[in-house]
Amino acid sequence: GEPKTLWGSSEPRPPAAGSGQPSPQQRTETLGFYESDRGRKKKRSLSDLSLLRFISAELTRGYFLEHNEAKYTERRERVYTCMRIPKELEKLMFFGIFLCLDAFLYVFTLLPLRVILAMFRLITLPCYGLRDRRLLQPAQVCDMLKGVILVICYFMMHYVDYSMMYHLIRGQSVIKLYIIYNMLEVADRLISSFGQDILDALYWTATEPKERKRAHIGVIPHFFMAVLYVFLHAILIMVQATTLNVAFNSHNKSLLTIMMSNNFVEIKGSVFKKFEKNNLFQMSNSDIKERFTNYVLLLIVCLRNMEQFSWNPDHLWVLFPDVCMVVASEIAVDIVKHAFITKFNDITADVYSEYRASLAFDLVSSRQKNAYTDYSDSVSRRMGFIPLPLAVLLIRVVTSSIKVQGVLAYVCVVLFYCGLISLKVLNSIVLLGKSCQYVKEAKMEEKLFNPVLTATPGKPPGKQQGIFKSTQGISTDENGSTSVTNQPVHQKENMPSLLVTSNSDQFLTTPDGEEKDISQDSSELKHRSAKKDLLEIDRFTICGNRID
């Protein structure tokens, strides 16, 4: 018989090697054998996949975060950035608020003294003879215009009845007042943007060189436009303060709660939009101006309430919790808004130190001998904070709330004025010292005293360069140190006017490409990249997709 094999007599077996091609019957038996073998192995693997083994695998499986190190490092840096935002933002806010305070105190302290000096020059001019063709220096002309506008608008504000406005607003429903307050905020931004242009146009029309051949009668319409603007803006701020006063005096505080919730609506309109560094700089300046204006409005509300309660100090403690609530909500909204904007747009917290250095640069450059603008005007353009309307309103409220009678009262007023001057001088000294420190840390001092001349229309750039070379040494004294406190040196009338802009346009910038030669035509400069330097961005410049 057939020999016994390992397969057994009843099982199919594969053909032996070297036995030639298998028959069809052998091929079929072989395929059946392999399929049955795979079936047995599949049964054994299914029996291994039990619920216990799945739970065990879930409990013991591992992973390695270092395989995606860059991703997790970036996430950690975002957390650190959000934690640093409150500190860096408040340092910028603190510096910016004191800049606004310096410009605001200037209206009450140094501006009246400068106006008196300008009037003294006009009175004593015949005694010394007319040595030059100018009766007053350009800065003195601007000071005189500011003083006259301030006085005229103050007397015009006497025709506005604050009590009637208060009761008129108080009679409205809560929803109407909420809508009115929002409309007032929008109107304040719009009228501020147009108002600074009106004031700049007035200053330039009154002080432009005589080579322009402009009739001096053109100053009159600009002056009336400026007076009308300051008066209307002061009334608008008064309505804002009155609405806030009504909210403070409401019984259930519902209006105050609704007005504070309006700040949180601002988060919705800002956080989920694309922001670049220039846009965020605009928003930061806007927040500084808004916070300082709110502080002044709260001061006006407290003065009016204290007057109604005969200056009872106990009522001040009644107002104190509401004041703290308004200030705390404003700070919280700004922190949350900036934290998420920097997170969504991958902006580091160090950008706020750059913003602070940019604001410090404005202060330091305005103290140079050849400064082309006053610092208060620079703050107005940069932040949108125009101190004249707010000063008119505050003077009107203070004079109507505090009655000055007797010699002792006038002595107190003089002492208070001397205290304001001391505060202004101290604030200016500290700000100037800190600004020089910030400019030095940002390595901008070499750009501070190397200004670039902007081509004047109709004048060849080459001639302007030659004039600048001859006057470039003015800003240094005998020891070689640079002075930032002296007055500008008066130039001759036949010398073309120079508009000096800072050479620090390369600082804090999104790259604009290679720097072009200064002698290029102005038409070529207009076709440069639309990305702007932070020092070129003011409160009303369109940056990207947003005006804030």
Side-chain angles (χ1 to χ4, degrees), residues 362-373:
D362 291 337
L363 175 59
V364 177
S365 60
S366 66
R367 306 288 180 172
Q368 294 185 91
K369 288 184 178 181
N370 293 327
Y372 59 91
T373 183

Side-chain angles (χ1 to χ4, degrees), residues 287-301:
D287 292 337
I288 293 171
K289 176 253 182 182
E290 182 180 356
R291 191 179 293 189
F292 182 80
T293 305
N294 287 339
Y295 291 162
V296 178
L297 292 180
L298 289 174
L299 175 63
I300 294 174
V301 169

